[in-house]
Amino acid sequence: MSYFVTGGTGFIGKFLIQNLLKRSGTIHVLVRKDSLKKLEGLYKWWGLDARQKRIVPVVGDLAKPK
């Protein structure tokens, strides 16, 4: 199963992703370009190595068209 999460670097999103990591599958996370470093910092909090492919960042912004 695959998941798509918006707000993954926020307070609630990081806990949601933590729970999704207990399941199998890939988690795609919509993240603004400015927040990529924040997402990378959360890998350690989730107990992941950044080289693992469980979380796939998708760069974008819901506030912008397309």
Side-chain angles (χ1 to χ4, degrees), residues 12-58:
I12 295 173
K14 72 179 186 178
F15 289 103
L16 172 65
I17 292 172
Q18 183 180 37
N19 284 319
L20 289 175
L21 287 167
K22 296 174 186 174
R23 302 177 180 190
S24 62
T26 304
I27 304 166
H28 300 269
V29 180
L30 181 66
V31 60
R32 289 185 300 256
K33 187 176 181 180
D34 297 344
S35 296
L36 279 171
K37 291 286 185 193
K38 187 174 182 180
L39 180 66
E40 291 171 10
L42 287 171
Y43 280 99
K44 185 176 180 181
W45 191 82
W46 290 317
L48 294 177
D49 185 318
R51 293 174 297 223
Q52 290 177 298
K53 301 297 181 191
R54 292 281 321 271
I55 297 178
V56 178
V58 178

